[in-house]
Amino acid sequence: MSDQVAVALRRIRERIEAAGGDLGSVRILPVTKGHPVSAVRAARAAGLREAGESYAQELLAKAEEVDDVRWHMIGRLQSNKVRQIAGFVRLWQTIDRLSLAGEVARRSPGAQVLVQVNVTGAAQQGGCPPERVAALTEGCTDLGLEVRGLMALGPVGSPEASRAAFRRVRELADGLGLPERSMGMSGDLEVAVAEGSTLVRIGTALFGPRAGVSAVGN
Ligand SMILES: *Cc1c(COP(=O)(O)O)cnc(C)c1O
């Protein structure tokens, strides 16, 4: 698996550069949900030191087996799951409501977070409405959390359909002076990079198709 992942990673870096991205300012987050722990190890062997998971249980299971990886929580999160994974998560990417922020602040004081913004209107994707991002960011800061930036999912459909959504994320982040913009996945990373992504979350293009059916954002 390591060799395949290393080859896939080179290809992703080429895609980022071809889209006008600078590899020094666009990070690649391997998304290992739906893949065995060997995927985490392969990504680690290829030089990636972070990994993203969408489900608390799955994150926990893998985190207990591999140390030396900085975990990102990228899925919709219920407050009652925060406690279990707080010891492992280094970046909470899906903070979309103050109650969740409060629980993260309680279990992991001073944690780094991203505010997830819903720029597509699709309720199942989670995220707070764009007009509430500023207030939620302030609320997180008041709780002692370190808001690094914003995270968003593009609309389902053609990659080009993501462009307006990602542009909006960029504008919102710039307006709030936030440096990190987590946007772009295997299918729409070029558009995301062109619109200013600093962190692309890549599953399929690195590890192949997932075994189970994992709805995006869950
Ligand atoms: C599954 C998932 C990804 C990775 O998706 P791919 O299309 O496999 O690259 C990225 N972000 C989130 C939030 C996800 O749930």
Side-chain angles (χ1 to χ4, degrees):
M1 184 161 203
S2 286
D3 288 356
Q4 281 159 272
V5 169
V7 170
L9 180 58
R10 275 203 292 281
R11 176 78 193 106
I12 290 161
R13 290 191 169 128
E14 285 165 11
R15 287 175 63 187
I16 290 171
E17 288 188 310
D22 166 10
L23 292 174
S25 47
V26 183
R27 245 149 77 220
I28 297 166
L29 178 72
V31 174
T32 49
K33 69 159 185 249
H35 293 283
V37 71
S38 55
V40 184
R41 295 205 173 95
R44 185 71 193 77
L48 301 174
R49 286 152 196 274
E50 304 175 291
E53 282 286 339
S54 295
Y55 303 95
Q57 285 312 327
E58 207 178 333
L59 188 152
L60 193 60
K62 287 175 189 155
E64 281 171 342
E65 283 196 56
V66 199
D67 36 53
D68 204 17
V69 166
R70 294 193 292 272
W71 291 97
H72 292 211
M73 182 62 198
I74 65 167
R76 287 191 85 172
L77 186 55
Q78 291 170 288
S79 294
N80 64 9
K81 299 282 170 63
V82 168
R83 185 181 54 81
Q84 295 176 286
I85 57 174
F88 296 107
V89 175
R90 296 286 287 271
L91 184 64
W92 303 82
Q93 290 210 14
T94 50
I95 302 301
D96 62 357
R97 56 198 190 277
L98 200 56
S99 58
L100 179 59
E103 184 62 8
V104 170
R106 198 150 77 93
R107 304 295 181 182
S108 188
Q112 295 196 338
V113 303
L114 303 181
V115 167
Q116 184 184 351
V117 50
N118 187 317
V119 280
T120 67
Q124 75 277 11
Q125 288 185 346
C128 86
E131 60 276 14
R132 277 195 228 139
V133 168
L136 181 53
T137 298
E138 199 182 312
C140 288
T141 304
D142 290 347
L143 286 163
L145 297 171
E146 184 185 344
V147 183
R148 301 283 311 148
L150 304 182
M151 179 273 207
L153 292 157
V156 178
S158 79
E160 199 51 39
S162 297
R163 190 175 298 279
F166 291 157
R167 189 165 294 175
R168 184 93 196 269
V169 177
R170 167 91 196 240
E171 287 164 3
L172 286 165
D174 285 354
L176 293 166
L178 299 172
E180 196 89 81
R181 299 172 291 268
S182 171
M183 50 194 201
M185 316 197 311
S186 296
D188 59 8
L189 77 85
E190 281 86 356
V191 173
V193 166
E195 296 300 331
S197 176
T198 58
L199 185 58
V200 290
R201 308 176 308 265
I202 309 295
T204 311
L206 264 182
F207 306 115
R210 286 177 279 278
V213 187
S214 282
V216 162
N218 280 292

